[in-house]
Amino acid sequence: MAVTEPAKSVSSPPVESNPLERYSTYFILWGFFLAGAVFLYWKALEAPFLFDDIYLIFKYSPILDRHYLGDILSYNRPLVLASYAANYVLGGIDPYGYHLFQVLLHGANALLVFALTLSLARMFQVSPDRTGRPFWLGTAAGLVYLAHPLLSMAVVLVSGRSELMCVFFYLLGLVFFVRDQRSPGPRGWLPVCMAYLGAILTKETAITFPAAVLLVQWLAGTSPWRAVRENPKLYGMLAALSAGLIAKVMLFSYGQTVGGAELPFG
């Protein structure tokens, strides 16, 4: 009687992952954007405080006395003032550290532009037959943002830090939101709202964030009313934060700037 040998299991060859999907690639790209920001703005690192920097940051500001750091929350953009306080604690009034923070933050924002473009391209299935197309599209968007001349004043002027910090939290919130739409989680709304809180504590124009979130869902085929009904926690918290910002703006004393100095008019 013939003895049949057991069939040998043939294991399928491992599937090669797309090298553009590896986390190491993103870390390399992050370093590339940061290095690019330093390369483009290295002369700004040697600059002194310019124009309104001293007036808006240091005059009558609580960052000059650690006993008054608790007063930071009473100002209209407390996170911006807190970043100035951190710079002051680490380097005093040496402008180098202040400019370095600006430049590195600009590089981080370029990375977030890349991440948002990549996430949106995947969400809307741009070139689904070409897995690398969204990556290169995001890279191009990040590079354009990094080198755009309209952003140079916000990077060079330390008093323009609110612009950079607002963009950082704004883009971060949109990245969290788009990724939660692609891979929903039970608490996906929480990091979105935390990023929005950071944005409104740096610049009041961040109040447009909820509209941007609704726009993304509308472009994806979901009407605004349906979006609100399907995610009441997210939009309820966004509405509450927006109402808090409006109340803060209405109650704020307009005789103060970010640093607390009196305005020379009105």
Side-chain angles (χ1 to χ4, degrees), residues 14 57 78 174 178 196 198 236 251 254:
I57 299 170
L174 288 178
V178 174
Y196 179 46
L251 296 174
Y254 288 95

Side-chain angles (χ1 to χ4, degrees), residues 40-70:
L40 291 172
Y41 290 98
W42 68 274
K43 290 296 292 183
L45 299 177
E46 304 173 356
F49 292 114
L50 302 169
F51 300 109
D52 294 333
D53 288 352
I54 296 178
Y55 177 74
L56 294 178
I57 299 170
F58 297 108
K59 189 176 182 181
Y60 309 124
S61 175
I63 72 172
L64 301 178
D65 191 337
R66 298 182 185 181
H67 295 92
Y68 294 98
L69 289 182

